[in-house]
Amino acid sequence: KQEVTQIPAALSVPEGENLVLNCSFTDSAIYNLQWFRQDPGKGLTSLLLIQSSQREQTSGRLNASLDKSSGRSTLYIAASQPGDSATYLCAVGVYGGSQGNLIFGKGTKLSVKP
Amino acid sequence: ETGVTQSPTHLIKTRGQQVTLRCSSQSGHNTVSWYQQALGQGPQFIFQYYREEENGRGNFPPRFSGLQFPNYSSELNVNALELDDSALYLCASTMDSNWGYTFGSGTRLTVV
């Protein structure tokens, strides 16, 4: 059974700081990994999608890396802003089963203080 | 039409009642998945539909059922509501799971 773990569960940083969110998964048989942002009580907004054959993806101040063999991904946020405050979820794409095609971690709740 | 739309955004139901949640996916997104997200947890897979047929199911009882329609809309039905069914319900769709999923804004269900 695939398990996805995100560390830390919560993080508070001052504005302007660079930060890294971590995601680990137990089974390397994934076909992609997706990072999402979730504002309180809202749906999920896709940030970055990394295919299993890729090592990283970048979008603006965000950079996500993937090391499939070690079962790890990181989301790097540069020059954090108060508007980045949200919960960040990672999800691994797998082929079917009772867990579905997308298996999530519990998320990291980020607070960026002005 | 772009994006995934869910309705209603919020609703309150009484234990034992039945509820239907709706999702409208992007044109061409023939795969739709439904998730339940409890407070402080990651989304949990309920089931998935591909071209109007259920093709995957998580560890949810049969009182959770669904439908997918030819116009890329879908429904999640929950019978005999229990207090523990209170959660955010998310719909996600894709044309090809290799390209990632697009999520709706969710329906917040409260069972009292």
Side-chain angles (χ1 to χ4, degrees):
Chain A
K1 178 182 175 184
Q2 176 76 265
E3 292 183 1
V4 180
T5 303
Q6 291 188 246
I7 294 173
L11 181 64
S12 182
V13 300
E15 183 177 3
E17 195 163 292
N18 302 326
L19 58 101
V20 175
L21 307 182
N22 297 292
C23 172
S24 62
F25 46 96
T26 55
D27 188 340
S28 61
I30 66 170
Y31 58 81
N32 61 28
L33 185 145
Q34 203 165 352
W35 281 94
F36 295 91
R37 168 185 172 136
Q38 186 173 34
D39 292 298
K42 303 296 184 182
L44 276 60
T45 300
S46 180
L47 298 173
L48 290 164
L49 170 70
I50 311 176
Q51 300 296 344
S52 61
S53 58
Q54 297 176 318
R55 296 284 293 183
E56 64 179 315
Q57 281 286 338
T58 299
S59 176
R61 294 183 295 110
L62 305 179
N63 176 278
S65 68
L66 173 63
D67 184 342
K68 206 173 82 159
S69 61
S70 68
R72 296 173 190 269
S73 176
T74 62
L75 178 65
Y76 174 82
I77 302 177
S80 58
Q81 303 170 358
D84 295 331
S85 298
T87 296
Y88 291 80
L89 294 154
C90 78
V92 296
V94 298
Y95 291 107
S98 65
Q99 294 178 283
N101 284 3
L102 211 54
I103 302 169
F104 285 85
K106 292 184 177 180
T108 293
K109 185 174 182 179
L110 174 65
S111 177
V112 181
K113 304 295 186 183
Chain B
E1 181 182 354
T2 60
V4 177
T5 304
Q6 291 188 243
S7 62
T9 53
H10 298 86
L11 77 164
I12 300 173
K13 288 286 190 178
T14 302
R15 188 171 51 182
Q17 284 188 314
Q18 179 268 341
V19 68
T20 297
L21 310 182
R22 293 181 172 82
C23 173
S24 178
S25 301
Q26 294 179 227
S27 179
H29 281 205
N30 49 30
T31 299
V32 64
S33 299
W34 284 89
Y35 290 82
Q36 180 194 68
Q37 186 179 24
L39 208 59
Q41 302 294 314
Q44 296 294 313
F45 174 68
I46 303 175
F47 47 58
Q48 177 169 286
Y49 280 77
Y50 174 71
R51 294 185 174 178
E52 303 162 51
E53 296 284 334
E54 184 180 299
N55 76 337
R57 189 176 184 91
N59 295 323
F60 281 80
R63 58 189 185 84
F64 286 77
S65 63
L67 286 171
Q68 185 186 25
F69 303 101
N71 64 352
Y72 305 108
S73 67
S74 62
E75 290 180 353
L76 164 64
N77 299 290
V78 187
N79 294 322
L81 284 166
E82 300 176 0
L83 297 179
D84 285 349
D85 296 333
S86 296
L88 181 68
Y89 288 85
L90 296 164
C91 165
S93 69
T94 184
M95 187 180 300
D96 183 332
S97 58
N98 287 309
W99 302 344
Y101 283 78
T102 301
F103 278 76
S105 55
T107 293
R108 169 69 63 186
L109 172 65
T110 302
V111 182
V112 298

